[in-house]
Amino acid sequence: QKVCQARALPLPLHATWRASAAVDEPPMRIGHGWDIHRLAPLDVAGQGCVIGGVTVEDFEMGVEAHSDGDVLYHSVTDAILGSLTLPDIGQLFPDTDPRWKGCDSEKFLAEAWRLMDERGYQVSNLDVTLILQRPRVSPIKEKMKDNLVRVLHTSPPRVNIKARTHEKVDSIGEVRALSCHAVILLEKKP
């Protein structure tokens, strides 16, 4: 995967964010993130399928995306950004910017964690639901969770990952797409 450098918030936004954050920080914040990406044969997608930082082996489809298209990392990144009332992943890391082409989505998630940490929060609870007909993720579920725990500097009891099919309905059920929802509760660090 491409090594790319995540950036901090643009200066005017960062200054506004810092000023507003210092005034009225609640003890807890909640955020929701959602992402969906098209699946295509590997030769069309031009890359494999990465979910939760794990490359899915023995799967004939790849994710069509500007970055590596990791729906789990993208939805968690957006949940963190939303909880902090910051712009979404597409505004901070636009798919029109060549710097993010093929980028490992862990960079986006790590930047969201950095912003959360800078603001004085930690993960209280993260609940993730993957929605995909295929690939089957049960063999990689623990590795995905380990990755989230590592990148978010938290502990396993604070992270949950579930997966469900889409009952062969619409693009997800027909294995033309996969999606993910994430809900995160942040708490002020002690």
Side-chain angles (χ1 to χ4, degrees):
Q1 285 182 324
K2 179 181 172 187
V3 176
C4 47
Q5 295 296 321
R7 63 174 175 179
L9 291 171
L11 268 173
L13 183 58
H14 195 267
T16 303
W17 169 68
R18 276 183 174 269
S20 65
V23 175
D24 186 24
E25 285 287 12
M28 288 192 244
R29 290 179 168 274
I30 191 166
H32 174 262
W34 176 77
D35 195 35
I36 187 168
H37 281 290
R38 288 184 307 273
L39 291 170
L42 289 170
D43 61 327
V44 174
Q47 62 184 356
C49 182
V50 177
I51 306 172
V54 180
T55 300
V56 180
E57 303 293 335
D58 301 320
F59 184 50
E60 70 281 2
M61 306 290 273
V63 177
E64 290 188 292
H66 187 69
S67 67
D68 66 5
D70 188 327
V71 292
L72 193 152
Y73 277 4
H74 291 184
S75 62
V76 175
T77 297
D78 257 349
I80 293 170
L81 295 173
S83 71
L84 297 170
T85 65
L86 292 173
D88 66 34
I89 190 173
Q91 291 173 285
L92 295 183
F93 306 102
D95 63 6
T96 55
D97 189 331
R99 291 180 294 172
W100 313 125
K101 179 72 176 157
C103 187
D104 178 346
S105 295
E106 185 172 313
K107 303 298 184 202
F108 308 148
L109 183 57
E111 176 66 0
W113 175 84
R114 188 191 68 75
L115 295 167
M116 173 184 76
D117 183 63
E118 183 178 280
R119 192 91 159 251
Y121 287 96
Q122 64 187 11
V123 174
S124 177
N125 188 65
L126 170 63
D127 189 31
V128 173
T129 305
L130 284 160
I131 307 162
L132 64 174
Q133 198 68 35
R134 289 185 41 236
R136 291 295 211 196
V137 294
S138 55
I140 62 169
K141 204 171 182 182
E142 282 306 309
K143 180 62 177 154
M144 292 187 297
K145 182 174 179 172
D146 291 346
N147 287 342
L148 285 171
V149 167
R150 175 181 51 79
V151 177
L152 297 176
H153 305 270
T154 191
S155 60
R158 293 176 178 246
V159 176
N160 186 49
I161 300 174
K162 304 178 300 298
R164 57 172 296 125
T165 69
H166 213 247
E167 302 297 330
K168 300 183 180 177
V169 175
D170 73 26
S171 61
I172 294 172
E174 294 168 357
V175 194
R176 294 184 291 116
L178 68 164
S179 70
C180 185
H181 287 269
V183 177
I184 195 163
L185 181 65
L186 305 183
E187 62 188 6
K188 282 301 249 178
K189 292 187 283 188

